[in-house]
């Protein structure tokens, strides 16, 4: 596809012409979906560990991370609204290399992530119902989420995601308040410092929490909501900011919980999603079984919302990828009804079940880690390229603030990429 072919297209049929003059807060939705998807169990564990090892010292990194993600998600959705096309169209206009990279990445990523996400969701269920094996809960989770996504439209999907993020919000924020945060130390933690041994955790907090490939899905959720013209730009930006403010509140709350419950007592957590089960036991000892049960409910809501979001959002990305490979043009409505969408749902759900029993082969871990490390630099750099080109109408190209934040994002993710790739071959 040439540059000229990727320049702004007319609004697609089915999109609302303009948002209402009032009541825009009631329209918020795609950003909530992105927030619920982007904050998974692994993100909560990473934040907890940072709090348990360094107290409030890295609070500033969590705040900067949310600002970075606002810029990335806004850029992705702005490209959709300003051009009437999609991120996949934009990437294809940069050359065939983008399709080769993305095609390989999304297949490997989906296979490994499917098993990881199903296992994470199964952990709290196995605690509630220990007579059922963990693998059985994982399988049931995957099948249930796939069926829900396959047989429900975006409106129902968004409603369920809002319910889950509401549960997450009340429980996580409530626990953070209960542990009595040290306000003075928290304020001090907003001053950038990097304690000894904290460099990797600092980079992880800035770059790792709040979504990876699902950030590219945000523009598709914006379109699915019916926002398809530049007239919706203001609503999209409000939606996006609210989403990452909510994400920031989750991250800060988990850092507070780690600092107050674990840092002072020097309690170590297990690595991976099982670290949340360690926190569950700490909460039970301090606040009793009721709080422990509520936390496990929040754990489940966090994990299952990530599964649902990926099953829906990344499947739409794959469906659009296939549409482009076939050379199909015209409306991108109804991607969730295509055979490609349903195939990727299958790919996320059924083949990864093999890994539930066999574990992750070493070579697959290497490929998954390497491809995944390159995705966020790929997203940040291509957004800078696309949003400053003639593909985007002049009034919607990036200004100094957007370019500055995207540039910082690109630099950050390049450093994270190098660190991750080096780590893969030195462990």
């Amino acid at each position: 596809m040439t540059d000229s072919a990727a320049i702004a297209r007319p609004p697609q049929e089915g999109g609302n012409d303009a948002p209402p003059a009032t009541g825009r807060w009631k329209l918020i939705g795609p950003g909530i979906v992105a927030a619920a998807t982007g904050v998974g169990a692994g993100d909560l564990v990473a934040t907890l560990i940072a709090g348990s090892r360094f107290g409030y010292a890295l609070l500033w990194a969590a705040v900067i991370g949310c600002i970075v993600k606002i810029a990335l998600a806004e850029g992705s959705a702005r490209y959709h609204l300003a051009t009437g096309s999609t991120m996949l169209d934009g990437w294809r206009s940069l050359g065939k290399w983008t399709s080769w990279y993305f095609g390989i990445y999304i297949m490997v990523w989906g296979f490994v992530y499917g098993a990881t996400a199903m296992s994470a969701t199964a952990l709290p269920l196995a605690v509630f119902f220990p007579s059922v094996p963990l693998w059985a809960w994982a399988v049931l989770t995957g099948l249930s989420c796939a069926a829900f996504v396959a047989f429900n439209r975006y409106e129902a999907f968004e409603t369920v995601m809002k319910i889950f993020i509401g549960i997450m919000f009340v429980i996580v924020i409530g626990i953070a308040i209960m542990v009595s945060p040290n306000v003075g130390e928290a304020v001090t933690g907003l001053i950038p410092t990097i304690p000894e041994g904290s460099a990797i955790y600092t980079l992880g907090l800035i770059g790792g929490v709040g979504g990876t490939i699902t950030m590219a899905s945000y523009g598709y959720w914006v379109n699915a909501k019916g926002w398809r013209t530049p007239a919706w730009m203001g609503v999209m930006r409000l939606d996006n900011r609210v989403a990452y403010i909510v994400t920031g509140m989750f991250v800060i709350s988990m850092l507070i919980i780690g600092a107050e419950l674990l840092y002072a007592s020097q309690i170590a957590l297990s690595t991976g999603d099982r670290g949340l089960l360690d926190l569950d036991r700490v909460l039970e000892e301090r606040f009793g079984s009721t709080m422990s049960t509520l936390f496990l409910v929040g754990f489940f809501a966090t994990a299952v919302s990530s599964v649902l979001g990926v099953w829906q959002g990344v499947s739409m990305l794959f469906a659009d990828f296939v549409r482009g490979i076939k050379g199909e043009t015209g409306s991108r409505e109804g991607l969730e009804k295509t055979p490609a969408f349903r195939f990727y749902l299958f790919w996320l759900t059924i083949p990864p079940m093999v890994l539930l029993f066999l574990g992750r082969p070493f070579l697959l871990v290497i490929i998954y880690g390497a491809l995944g490390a390159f995705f966020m630099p790929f997203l940040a750099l291509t957004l800078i390229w696309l949003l400053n080109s003639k593909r985007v109408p002049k009034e919607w190209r990036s200004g100094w603030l957007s370019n500055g934040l995207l540039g910082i994002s690109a630099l950050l993710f390049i450093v994270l990429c190098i660190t991750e790739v080096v780590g893969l071959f030195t462990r």
Side-chain angles (χ1 to χ4, degrees), residues 151-199:
F151 295 108
N152 283 278
R153 297 178 64 84
Y154 173 80
E155 292 78 8
F157 165 71
E158 182 186 292
T159 299
V160 169
M161 293 292 275
K162 285 179 176 178
I163 291 170
F164 280 129
I165 204 166
I167 294 170
M168 294 160 58
F169 186 89
V170 171
I171 292 175
V172 172
I173 303 297
I175 294 174
I177 293 171
M178 287 185 65
V179 299
S180 303
N182 187 315
V183 177
E185 290 187 12
V187 171
T188 302
L190 294 173
I191 301 171
T193 58
I194 302 179
E196 184 178 352
S198 70

Side-chain angles (χ1 to χ4, degrees), residues 381-401:
L381 290 171
T382 54
L383 277 174
I384 293 172
W385 189 346
L386 291 169
L387 293 171
N388 288 281
S389 72
K390 292 181 180 179
R391 299 167 179 83
V392 177
K394 189 173 182 179
E395 64 268 31
W396 300 117
R397 292 176 197 166
S398 291
W400 68 268
L401 179 59

Side-chain angles (χ1 to χ4, degrees), residues 19-39:
T22 59
R24 295 190 173 194
W25 285 92
K26 297 178 182 179
L27 300 175
I28 289 173
I32 298 299
V33 170
T37 304
V39 181

Side-chain angles (χ1 to χ4, degrees), residues 1-237:
M1 184 184 293
T2 63
D3 286 3
S4 60
I7 296 175
R9 299 183 176 91
Q12 300 175 24
E13 293 181 7
N16 299 325
D17 291 331
T22 59
R24 295 190 173 194
W25 285 92
K26 297 178 182 179
L27 300 175
I28 289 173
I32 298 299
V33 170
T37 304
V39 181
D43 297 316
L44 297 188
V45 172
T47 310
L48 267 177
I49 292 176
S52 68
R53 295 193 178 188
F54 305 104
Y56 292 95
L58 300 182
L59 188 59
W60 65 272
V63 174
I64 290 179
C66 290
I67 295 172
V68 164
K69 296 296 173 54
I70 286 173
L72 286 166
E74 188 274 345
S76 171
R78 174 154 48 97
Y79 188 82
H80 279 243
L81 294 177
T83 65
S85 62
T86 67
M87 280 303 302
L88 266 297
D89 288 324
W91 286 335
R92 278 189 292 270
S93 75
L94 301 178
K96 291 184 178 180
W97 66 274
T98 60
S99 294
W100 278 105
Y101 166 72
F102 186 78
I104 296 170
Y105 170 63
I106 198 171
M107 294 303 292
V108 175
W109 183 89
F111 184 62
V112 178
Y113 180 84
T116 303
M118 287 187 284
S119 295
T121 311
L123 286 172
L125 293 173
V127 174
F128 283 130
F129 308 100
S131 60
V132 179
L134 183 71
W135 66 263
W137 282 122
V139 168
L140 183 60
T141 294
L143 293 174
S144 299
C145 290
F148 177 83
V149 168
F151 295 108
N152 283 278
R153 297 178 64 84
Y154 173 80
E155 292 78 8
F157 165 71
E158 182 186 292
T159 299
V160 169
M161 293 292 275
K162 285 179 176 178
I163 291 170
F164 280 129
I165 204 166
I167 294 170
M168 294 160 58
F169 186 89
V170 171
I171 292 175
V172 172
I173 303 297
I175 294 174
I177 293 171
M178 287 185 65
V179 299
S180 303
N182 187 315
V183 177
E185 290 187 12
V187 171
T188 302
L190 294 173
I191 301 171
T193 58
I194 302 179
E196 184 178 352
S198 70
I200 298 301
Y201 294 96
T202 303
L203 290 172
L205 274 178
I206 296 174
V209 179
T212 51
I213 190 174
T214 54
M215 298 199 70
S217 300
Y218 179 54
Y220 292 83
W221 286 322
V222 163
N223 288 164
K225 184 75 170 178
W227 308 346
R228 300 191 183 92
T229 71
W232 290 91
M233 204 72 75
V235 175
M236 177 275 291
R237 285 170 169 162

